[in-house]
Coordinates of all heavy atoms in Angstrom, one line a residue:
M1 N 27.4 11.8 36.9 CA 26.4 10.8 37.3 C 25.0 11.3 37.0 O 24.2 10.5 36.5 CB 26.6 10.5 38.8 CG 25.7 9.4 39.3 SD 26.0 7.9 38.5 CE 24.8 6.9 39.3
N2 N 24.7 12.6 37.4 CA 23.4 13.1 37.1 C 23.0 13.1 35.7 O 21.9 12.8 35.3 CB 23.3 14.5 37.7 CG 21.9 15.0 37.7 OD1 21.0 14.2 37.6 ND2 21.8 16.3 37.8
R3 N 24.0 13.4 34.8 CA 23.7 13.4 33.4 C 23.4 12.0 32.9 O 22.6 11.7 32.1 CB 25.0 14.0 32.7 CG 24.8 14.2 31.2 CD 26.0 14.9 30.7 NE 25.8 15.2 29.3 CZ 26.8 15.7 28.6 NH1 28.0 15.9 29.1 NH2 26.6 16.0 27.3
L4 N 24.2 11.0 33.4 CA 24.0 9.6 33.0 C 22.6 9.1 33.5 O 21.9 8.4 32.8 CB 25.1 8.7 33.6 CG 25.1 7.3 33.2 CD1 25.1 7.1 31.7 CD2 26.2 6.5 33.9
A5 N 22.2 9.5 34.7 CA 20.9 9.1 35.2 C 19.8 9.7 34.4 O 18.8 9.0 34.1 CB 20.8 9.5 36.7
T6 N 19.9 10.9 34.0 CA 18.9 11.6 33.2 C 18.7 10.9 31.9 O 17.6 10.7 31.4 CB 19.2 13.1 33.1 OG1 19.3 13.7 34.3 CG2 18.2 13.8 32.3
T7 N 19.9 10.6 31.3 CA 19.8 9.9 30.0 C 19.2 8.6 30.1 O 18.4 8.2 29.3 CB 21.3 9.8 29.4 OG1 21.9 11.1 29.3 CG2 21.3 9.1 28.1
G8 N 19.5 7.8 31.2 CA 18.9 6.5 31.4 C 17.4 6.6 31.6 O 16.6 5.8 31.1
W9 N 16.9 7.6 32.4 CA 15.5 7.8 32.6 C 14.8 8.1 31.2 O 13.7 7.6 30.9 CB 15.2 8.9 33.6 CG 15.3 8.4 35.0 CD1 16.3 8.6 35.8 CD2 14.3 7.7 35.7 NE1 16.1 8.0 37.0 CE2 14.8 7.4 37.0 CE3 13.1 7.2 35.4 CZ2 14.1 6.7 37.9 CZ3 12.4 6.5 36.3 CH2 12.9 6.2 37.6
L10 N 15.4 9.0 30.5 CA 14.8 9.4 29.2 C 14.7 8.2 28.2 O 13.7 7.9 27.6 CB 15.6 10.5 28.5 CG 15.2 11.0 27.2 CD1 13.7 11.6 27.3 CD2 16.1 12.1 26.7
L11 N 15.8 7.4 28.1 CA 15.8 6.2 27.3 C 14.8 5.2 27.7 O 14.0 4.7 26.9 CB 17.2 5.6 27.3 CG 17.4 4.4 26.4 CD1 17.0 4.7 24.9 CD2 18.8 3.9 26.5
G12 N 14.7 5.0 29.1 CA 13.7 4.1 29.6 C 12.3 4.5 29.3 O 11.4 3.7 28.9
A13 N 12.0 5.8 29.4 CA 10.6 6.3 29.1 C 10.3 6.2 27.7 O 9.2 5.8 27.3 CB 10.6 7.8 29.5
L14 N 11.2 6.4 26.8 CA 11.0 6.2 25.4 C 10.7 4.8 25.0 O 9.8 4.4 24.3 CB 12.2 6.7 24.5 CG 12.3 8.2 24.5 CD1 13.7 8.6 23.8 CD2 11.2 8.9 23.8
L15 N 11.5 3.9 25.6 CA 11.3 2.4 25.3 C 10.0 1.9 25.9 O 9.3 1.2 25.3 CB 12.5 1.6 25.9 CG 13.8 1.8 25.1 CD1 14.9 1.1 25.9 CD2 13.7 1.3 23.7
W16 N 9.7 2.4 27.1 CA 8.4 2.0 27.7 C 7.2 2.4 26.9 O 6.2 1.7 26.8 CB 8.4 2.5 29.2 CG 7.1 2.1 29.8 CD1 6.7 0.9 30.3 CD2 6.0 3.0 30.1 NE1 5.5 1.0 30.9 CE2 5.0 2.2 30.8 CE3 5.7 4.3 29.8 CZ2 3.8 2.8 31.1 CZ3 4.5 4.9 30.2 CH2 3.6 4.1 30.9
S17 N 7.3 3.6 26.4 CA 6.1 4.2 25.7 C 5.9 3.5 24.3 O 4.8 3.4 23.8 CB 6.2 5.7 25.5 OG 7.3 6.0 24.6
A18 N 7.0 2.9 23.8 CA 6.9 2.2 22.5 C 6.5 0.8 22.6 O 6.0 0.2 21.7 CB 8.2 2.3 21.8
C19 N 6.6 0.2 23.8 CA 6.3 -1.3 24.0 C 4.9 -1.5 24.5 O 4.4 -0.7 25.3 CB 7.3 -1.9 25.0 SG 9.0 -1.9 24.4
G20 N 4.3 -2.5 24.0 CA 3.0 -2.9 24.5 C 1.8 -2.0 24.1 O 0.8 -2.1 24.7
S21 N 2.0 -1.3 23.1 CA 0.9 -0.4 22.6 C -0.1 -1.2 21.8 O 0.3 -1.9 20.9 CB 1.5 0.8 21.8 OG 0.5 1.6 21.3
D22 N -1.4 -1.0 22.1 CA -2.5 -1.6 21.4 C -3.0 -0.6 20.3 O -4.0 -0.9 19.7 CB -3.6 -2.0 22.3 CG -3.2 -3.1 23.2 OD1 -2.3 -3.9 22.8 OD2 -3.7 -3.3 24.3
D23 N -2.4 0.5 20.1 CA -2.9 1.5 19.1 C -2.8 0.9 17.7 O -1.9 0.2 17.3 CB -2.0 2.7 19.1 CG -2.2 3.5 20.4 OD1 -3.2 3.3 21.1 OD2 -1.3 4.3 20.7
V24 N -3.9 1.1 17.0 CA -3.9 0.7 15.6 C -3.2 1.7 14.8 O -3.3 2.9 15.0 CB -5.4 0.6 15.1 CG1 -5.5 0.3 13.6 CG2 -6.2 -0.4 15.9
K25 N -2.3 1.2 13.8 CA -1.6 2.2 13.0 C -2.6 2.9 12.1 O -3.4 2.3 11.4 CB -0.6 1.4 12.1 CG 0.3 2.3 11.3 CD 1.3 1.6 10.5 CE 2.1 2.5 9.7 NZ 3.0 1.8 8.8
R26 N -2.5 4.2 12.1 CA -3.4 5.1 11.4 C -2.7 5.7 10.2 O -1.5 6.1 10.4 CB -4.1 6.1 12.3 CG -5.0 5.5 13.3 CD -5.6 6.6 14.1 NE -6.4 7.5 13.3 CZ -7.7 7.7 13.5 NH1 -8.3 7.2 14.6 NH2 -8.4 8.5 12.8
E27 N -3.4 6.0 9.2 CA -2.9 6.8 8.1 C -2.7 8.2 8.6 O -3.4 8.6 9.5 CB -3.9 6.7 6.9 CG -4.0 5.3 6.3 CD -2.8 4.8 5.6 OE1 -2.1 5.6 5.0 OE2 -2.5 3.6 5.8
P28 N -1.8 9.0 7.9 CA -1.7 10.4 8.3 C -3.1 11.1 8.1 O -3.9 10.7 7.3 CB -0.7 10.9 7.3 CG 0.0 9.7 6.8 CD -0.9 8.6 6.9
C29 N -3.3 12.1 8.9 CA -4.5 12.9 8.8 C -4.7 13.5 7.4 O -3.8 14.1 6.9 CB -4.6 14.0 9.8 SG -4.6 13.4 11.5
V30 N -5.9 13.5 6.9 CA -6.3 14.2 5.7 C -7.0 15.5 6.2 O -8.0 15.4 6.8 CB -7.2 13.4 4.8 CG1 -7.7 14.2 3.6 CG2 -6.6 12.1 4.4
E31 N -6.4 16.6 6.0 CA -6.9 17.9 6.4 C -7.9 18.5 5.5 O -7.6 19.5 4.8 CB -5.8 18.9 6.7 CG -4.8 18.4 7.8 CD -5.5 18.3 9.2 OE1 -6.4 19.1 9.5 OE2 -5.1 17.5 10.0
R32 N -9.0 17.9 5.3 CA -10.2 18.4 4.5 C -11.4 17.7 5.0 O -11.4 16.7 5.7 CB -10.0 18.3 3.0 CG -10.0 16.8 2.5 CD -9.8 16.8 1.0 NE -11.0 16.4 0.3 CZ -11.0 15.9 -0.9 NH1 -9.9 15.8 -1.5 NH2 -12.1 15.5 -1.4
T33 N -12.6 18.2 4.7 CA -13.8 17.7 5.1 C -14.0 16.2 4.7 O -13.8 15.9 3.6 CB -15.0 18.5 4.6 OG1 -14.9 19.9 5.0 CG2 -16.3 18.0 5.1
V34 N -14.2 15.4 5.7 CA -14.4 14.0 5.5 C -15.8 13.6 6.1 O -16.1 14.1 7.2 CB -13.3 13.2 6.2 CG1 -13.5 11.7 6.0 CG2 -11.9 13.6 5.6
F35 N -16.5 12.7 5.5 CA -17.8 12.3 6.0 C -17.7 10.9 6.5 O -17.0 10.0 5.9 CB -18.9 12.3 4.9 CG -19.2 13.7 4.5 CD1 -18.5 14.4 3.5 CD2 -20.3 14.4 5.1 CE1 -18.8 15.6 3.1 CE2 -20.6 15.7 4.7 CZ -19.9 16.3 3.7
A36 N -18.3 10.6 7.7 CA -18.3 9.3 8.3 C -19.6 9.0 9.0 O -20.3 10.0 9.4 CB -17.1 9.1 9.2
R37 N -19.9 7.8 9.1 CA -21.2 7.4 9.8 C -20.9 6.4 10.9 O -20.0 5.6 10.8 CB -22.2 6.9 8.9 CG -21.9 5.5 8.3 CD -23.0 5.0 7.4 NE -24.2 4.7 8.1 CZ -25.4 4.6 7.6 NH1 -25.5 4.7 6.3 NH2 -26.4 4.2 8.4
S38 N -21.7 6.5 12.0 CA -21.6 5.5 13.0 C -22.3 4.2 12.6 O -23.0 4.2 11.5 CB -22.3 6.0 14.3 OG -23.7 6.1 14.1
P39 N -22.1 3.1 13.3 CA -22.8 1.9 12.9 C -24.3 2.0 12.8 O -25.0 1.3 12.1 CB -22.4 0.9 13.9 CG -21.1 1.4 14.5 CD -21.2 2.9 14.4
T40 N -24.9 3.0 13.5 CA -26.4 3.2 13.5 C -26.9 4.5 13.0 O -28.0 4.8 13.1 CB -26.9 3.0 14.9 OG1 -26.3 3.9 15.8 CG2 -26.6 1.6 15.4
G41 N -26.0 5.4 12.5 CA -26.4 6.8 12.2 C -26.2 7.2 10.8 O -25.8 6.5 9.9
D42 N -26.4 8.5 10.6 CA -26.3 9.1 9.3 C -24.8 9.6 9.1 O -24.1 9.7 10.1 CB -27.2 10.3 9.1 CG -28.7 9.9 9.1 OD1 -28.9 8.8 8.6 OD2 -29.5 10.7 9.6
C43 N -24.5 10.0 7.9 CA -23.2 10.5 7.6 C -23.1 11.9 8.2 O -24.0 12.7 8.1 CB -22.9 10.7 6.1 SG -22.8 9.1 5.3
T44 N -21.9 12.2 8.9 CA -21.7 13.4 9.6 C -20.3 13.9 9.0 O -19.4 13.1 8.8 CB -21.6 13.2 11.1 OG1 -22.8 12.6 11.5 CG2 -21.3 14.5 11.8
S45 N -20.2 15.3 8.9 CA -18.9 15.8 8.4 C -17.9 16.0 9.5 O -18.3 16.4 10.6 CB -19.1 17.1 7.6 OG -19.6 18.1 8.4
Y46 N -16.7 15.8 9.2 CA -15.6 16.1 10.2 C -14.5 16.9 9.5 O -14.3 16.7 8.3 CB -15.0 14.7 10.7 CG -16.0 13.9 11.5 CD1 -16.8 13.0 10.8 CD2 -16.2 14.2 12.8 CE1 -17.8 12.3 11.6 CE2 -17.1 13.5 13.5 CZ -17.9 12.5 12.9 OH -18.9 11.9 13.6
A47 N -13.8 17.7 10.2 CA -12.8 18.6 9.6 C -11.6 17.9 9.1 O -11.0 18.4 8.1 CB -12.4 19.7 10.7
S48 N -11.3 16.8 9.6 CA -10.1 16.0 9.1 C -10.4 14.5 9.4 O -11.3 14.2 10.2 CB -8.8 16.4 9.7 OG -8.6 15.8 11.0
S49 N -9.6 13.7 8.8 CA -9.8 12.2 9.0 C -9.4 11.8 10.4 O -10.0 10.8 10.9 CB -8.9 11.4 8.0 OG -7.6 11.8 8.1
C50 N -8.6 12.6 11.1 CA -8.3 12.2 12.5 C -9.4 12.6 13.5 O -9.3 12.2 14.6 CB -7.0 13.0 12.9 SG -5.5 12.2 12.1
D51 N -10.4 13.3 13.0 CA -11.5 13.6 13.9 C -12.6 12.6 13.9 O -13.5 12.6 14.7 CB -12.1 15.0 13.5 CG -11.2 16.1 13.7 OD1 -10.3 16.1 14.6 OD2 -11.3 17.1 12.9
I52 N -12.5 11.6 13.0 CA -13.5 10.5 12.9 C -13.4 9.6 14.1 O -12.3 9.1 14.4 CB -13.3 9.7 11.6 CG1 -13.5 10.6 10.4 CG2 -14.3 8.6 11.5 CD1 -13.2 10.0 9.0
P53 N -14.5 9.4 14.8 CA -14.5 8.6 16.0 C -14.2 7.1 15.6 O -14.6 6.7 14.5 CB -15.9 8.7 16.6 CG -16.4 10.0 16.1 CD -15.8 10.1 14.7
A54 N -13.7 6.4 16.6 CA -13.4 4.9 16.4 C -14.8 4.2 16.1 O -15.8 4.6 16.7 CB -12.8 4.4 17.6
G55 N -14.8 3.3 15.2 CA -16.0 2.5 14.9 C -16.8 3.1 13.8 O -17.8 2.5 13.3
Y56 N -16.5 4.3 13.3 CA -17.2 5.0 12.2 C -16.6 4.5 10.9 O -15.4 4.2 10.8 CB -17.1 6.5 12.3 CG -18.1 7.1 13.4 CD1 -18.1 6.6 14.6 CD2 -18.9 8.1 13.0 CE1 -19.0 7.1 15.6 CE2 -19.7 8.7 14.0 CZ -19.8 8.2 15.2 OH -20.6 8.7 16.2
R57 N -17.4 4.6 9.8 CA -16.9 4.2 8.5 C -17.0 5.5 7.6 O -18.0 6.2 7.7 CB -17.7 3.1 7.9 CG -17.5 1.8 8.6 CD -18.2 0.7 7.9 NE -17.6 0.4 6.6 CZ -18.2 -0.5 5.8 NH1 -19.3 -1.1 6.1 NH2 -17.6 -0.7 4.6
E58 N -16.1 5.7 6.7 CA -16.1 6.8 5.8 C -17.3 6.7 4.9 O -17.5 5.6 4.3 CB -14.8 6.9 5.1 CG -14.8 8.2 4.2 CD -13.5 8.4 3.5 OE1 -12.6 7.5 3.5 OE2 -13.3 9.4 2.8
C59 N -18.1 7.7 4.7 CA -19.2 7.8 3.7 C -18.6 8.4 2.4 O -17.7 9.1 2.4 CB -20.3 8.7 4.2 SG -20.9 8.3 5.8
C60 N -19.3 8.0 1.3 CA -18.9 8.5 0.0 C -20.1 8.5 -0.9 O -21.2 8.0 -0.6 CB -17.8 7.7 -0.6 SG -18.2 5.9 -0.6
G61 N -19.9 9.0 -2.1 CA -21.0 9.0 -3.1 C -21.9 10.1 -3.1 O -21.9 10.9 -2.1
G62 N -22.7 10.4 -4.1 CA -23.6 11.5 -4.1 C -22.9 12.8 -3.9 O -21.8 13.0 -4.4
F63 N -23.5 13.7 -3.1 CA -22.8 14.9 -2.8 C -21.7 14.8 -1.8 O -20.9 15.8 -1.6 CB -23.9 15.9 -2.2 CG -24.3 15.6 -0.8 CD1 -23.6 16.2 0.3 CD2 -25.3 14.8 -0.5 CE1 -24.0 16.0 1.6 CE2 -25.7 14.5 0.8 CZ -25.0 15.1 1.8
L64 N -21.4 13.6 -1.2 CA -20.4 13.4 -0.3 C -19.0 13.3 -0.9 O -18.0 13.5 -0.3 CB -20.6 12.2 0.5 CG -21.9 12.1 1.3 CD1 -22.1 10.7 1.9 CD2 -22.0 13.2 2.3
G65 N -19.0 13.0 -2.2 CA -17.7 12.8 -2.9 C -17.1 11.4 -2.8 O -17.8 10.5 -2.3
G66 N -15.8 11.3 -3.1 CA -15.2 10.0 -3.1 C -14.5 9.7 -1.8 O -14.7 10.4 -0.8
C67 N -13.8 8.6 -1.8 CA -13.1 8.2 -0.5 C -11.9 9.0 -0.4 O -11.0 9.1 -1.2 CB -12.8 6.7 -0.6 SG -14.2 5.6 -0.8
V68 N -11.8 9.7 0.8 CA -10.7 10.6 1.0 C -9.7 10.0 2.1 O -8.5 10.1 1.9 CB -11.2 12.0 1.6 CG1 -10.1 12.9 2.0 CG2 -12.1 12.6 0.5
A69 N -10.2 9.5 3.1 CA -9.4 9.1 4.3 C -9.1 7.6 4.3 O -8.3 7.2 5.1 CB -10.1 9.5 5.6
S70 N -9.7 6.8 3.5 CA -9.6 5.4 3.6 C -8.4 4.8 2.8 O -8.3 3.6 2.8 CB -10.9 4.7 3.1 OG -12.0 5.1 4.0
G71 N -7.6 5.6 2.2 CA -6.5 5.1 1.5 C -6.7 5.2 0.0 O -7.8 5.3 -0.5
E72 N -5.5 5.1 -0.7 CA -5.6 5.2 -2.2 C -6.4 4.1 -2.9 O -6.9 4.3 -3.9 CB -4.1 5.1 -2.7 CG -3.3 6.4 -2.4 CD -1.9 6.3 -2.9 OE1 -1.7 5.5 -3.8 OE2 -1.1 7.0 -2.4
D73 N -6.4 2.9 -2.3 CA -7.0 1.7 -2.9 C -8.5 1.6 -2.6 O -9.2 0.7 -3.0 CB -6.3 0.4 -2.5 CG -4.9 0.4 -3.0 OD1 -4.6 1.0 -4.0 OD2 -4.1 -0.3 -2.4
A74 N -9.0 2.5 -1.7 CA -10.4 2.4 -1.3 C -11.4 2.8 -2.4 O -11.0 3.6 -3.3 CB -10.7 3.4 -0.1
R75 N -12.5 2.1 -2.4 CA -13.5 2.4 -3.4 C -14.9 2.6 -2.7 O -15.1 2.0 -1.6 CB -13.6 1.3 -4.5 CG -13.9 0.0 -3.9 CD -13.8 -1.1 -5.0 NE -14.1 -2.4 -4.4 CZ -15.3 -3.0 -4.5 NH1 -16.2 -2.4 -5.1 NH2 -15.4 -4.2 -3.9
C76 N -15.7 3.3 -3.3 CA -17.0 3.6 -2.8 C -18.0 2.5 -3.2 O -18.1 2.2 -4.4 CB -17.5 5.0 -3.3 SG -19.0 5.5 -2.5
V77 N -18.6 1.8 -2.3 CA -19.6 0.8 -2.5 C -20.9 1.1 -1.9 O -21.0 1.9 -0.9 CB -19.1 -0.6 -2.1 CG1 -17.8 -1.0 -2.8 CG2 -18.9 -0.6 -0.6
D78 N -22.0 0.5 -2.3 CA -23.3 0.7 -1.8 C -23.3 0.3 -0.3 O -22.7 -0.7 0.1 CB -24.4 -0.1 -2.5 CG -25.8 0.1 -2.0 OD1 -26.1 1.3 -1.7 OD2 -26.5 -0.8 -1.9
D79 N -24.0 1.1 0.5 CA -24.1 0.8 2.0 C -25.3 -0.1 2.1 O -26.4 0.3 2.0 CB -24.3 2.1 2.7 CG -24.4 1.9 4.2 OD1 -24.3 0.7 4.7 OD2 -24.4 2.9 5.0
P80 N -25.1 -1.4 2.5 CA -26.2 -2.3 2.6 C -27.1 -2.1 3.8 O -28.1 -2.6 3.9 CB -25.5 -3.7 2.7 CG -24.1 -3.3 3.3 CD -23.8 -2.0 2.8
T81 N -26.7 -1.2 4.7 CA -27.4 -1.0 5.9 C -28.5 0.1 5.8 O -29.3 0.3 6.7 CB -26.5 -0.6 7.1 OG1 -25.9 0.7 6.9 CG2 -25.5 -1.6 7.4
D82 N -28.5 0.8 4.6 CA -29.5 1.8 4.4 C -30.6 1.4 3.4 O -30.5 0.3 2.8 CB -28.9 3.2 4.0 CG -28.3 3.1 2.6 OD1 -28.6 2.2 1.8 OD2 -27.5 4.0 2.3
S83 N -31.7 2.1 3.3 CA -32.8 1.7 2.4 C -32.6 2.3 1.0 O -33.5 2.1 0.2 CB -34.1 2.2 3.0 OG -34.1 3.6 3.2
C84 N -31.6 3.0 0.8 CA -31.4 3.7 -0.6 C -30.7 2.6 -1.5 O -29.7 2.1 -1.1 CB -30.5 4.9 -0.4 SG -30.4 5.9 -1.9
T85 N -31.2 2.4 -2.7 CA -30.7 1.5 -3.6 C -30.3 2.2 -4.9 O -31.2 2.7 -5.6 CB -31.7 0.3 -3.9 OG1 -32.1 -0.2 -2.6 CG2 -31.0 -0.7 -4.8
P86 N -29.0 2.2 -5.3 CA -28.6 3.0 -6.5 C -29.3 2.5 -7.7 O -29.7 3.2 -8.6 CB -27.1 2.7 -6.5 CG -26.7 2.3 -5.2 CD -27.9 1.7 -4.5
G87 N -29.5 1.2 -7.8 CA -30.2 0.6 -9.0 C -31.7 0.8 -9.1 O -32.3 0.5 -10.1
A88 N -32.3 1.3 -8.1 CA -33.7 1.5 -8.1 C -34.1 3.0 -7.9 O -34.9 3.4 -7.1 CB -34.3 0.7 -6.9
G89 N -33.4 3.9 -8.7 CA -33.7 5.3 -8.7 C -33.0 6.1 -7.7 O -33.2 7.3 -7.6
G90 N -32.1 5.5 -6.9 CA -31.4 6.3 -5.9 C -30.0 6.6 -6.3 O -29.0 6.1 -5.7
A91 N -29.8 7.3 -7.4 CA -28.5 7.5 -8.0 C -27.5 8.3 -7.1 O -26.3 8.2 -7.2 CB -28.6 8.3 -9.3
D92 N -28.1 9.0 -6.1 CA -27.3 9.8 -5.2 C -27.2 9.2 -3.8 O -27.0 9.8 -2.8 CB -27.7 11.2 -5.1 CG -29.2 11.3 -4.5 OD1 -29.9 10.3 -4.5 OD2 -29.6 12.5 -4.2
C93 N -27.4 7.9 -3.7 CA -27.3 7.2 -2.4 C -25.9 7.3 -1.9 O -24.9 7.2 -2.6 CB -27.5 5.7 -2.6 SG -29.2 5.3 -3.1
P94 N -25.8 7.5 -0.5 CA -24.5 7.5 0.1 C -24.0 6.1 0.2 O -24.7 5.1 0.3 CB -24.7 8.1 1.5 CG -26.1 7.8 1.7 CD -26.9 7.8 0.4
G95 N -22.7 5.9 0.0 CA -22.1 4.6 0.1 C -21.1 4.6 1.3 O -21.0 5.6 2.0
V96 N -20.3 3.6 1.4 CA -19.2 3.5 2.3 C -17.9 3.1 1.6 O -18.0 2.5 0.5 CB -19.5 2.5 3.5 CG1 -20.6 3.0 4.4 CG2 -19.8 1.1 2.9
C97 N -16.8 3.5 2.2 CA -15.5 3.2 1.5 C -15.0 1.9 2.0 O -15.0 1.5 3.2 CB -14.5 4.3 1.9 SG -15.0 5.9 1.2
E98 N -14.5 1.1 1.1 CA -13.9 -0.2 1.4 C -12.5 -0.3 0.8 O -12.2 0.2 -0.3 CB -14.7 -1.4 0.8 CG -15.9 -1.7 1.6 CD -16.6 -2.9 1.1 OE1 -16.2 -3.4 0.0 OE2 -17.5 -3.4 1.8

């Protein structure tokens, strides 16, 4: 009986932990330096993509490199929230990954 009860508790705990989760499915961690910016800040480096805080967007371009953590289909585009314009002499402007 004790073995059956333990198995029941374990199964119940596993099922309960899987149901009702609001977690967003995340890509696996990229274990290399990744740059990201807050909605109001500059690009900051992080040791892996799992260290990027919620609400931050991956930075790219210039010395920051390409999109690392945003997936294979991501591309680097101009960040409309900064004052740097690639077409007006700012060839090394940081962008954001989409």
Side-chain angles (χ1 to χ4, degrees):
M1 178 68 178
N2 190 17
R3 188 175 185 187
L4 184 60
T6 302
T7 302
W9 278 102
L10 180 59
L11 182 58
L14 289 172
L15 291 173
W16 179 74
S17 67
C19 294
S21 175
D22 291 334
D23 293 341
V24 175
K25 183 179 178 185
R26 295 181 61 125
E27 296 292 323
C29 293
V30 175
E31 296 295 330
R32 69 179 247 203
T33 301
V34 178
F35 292 87
R37 70 178 290 160
S38 69
T40 59
D42 294 325
C43 290
T44 304
S45 66
Y46 296 92
S48 81
S49 59
C50 287
D51 295 333
I52 298 173
Y56 282 49
R57 291 183 70 186
E58 185 179 6
C59 304
C60 54
F63 74 91
L64 303 173
C67 298
V68 175
S70 296
E72 292 180 19
D73 297 333
R75 61 188 178 94
C76 190
V77 298
D78 182 42
D79 183 355
T81 64
D82 65 20
S83 60
C84 189
T85 307
D92 62 346
C93 292
V96 291
C97 296
E98 286 187 346

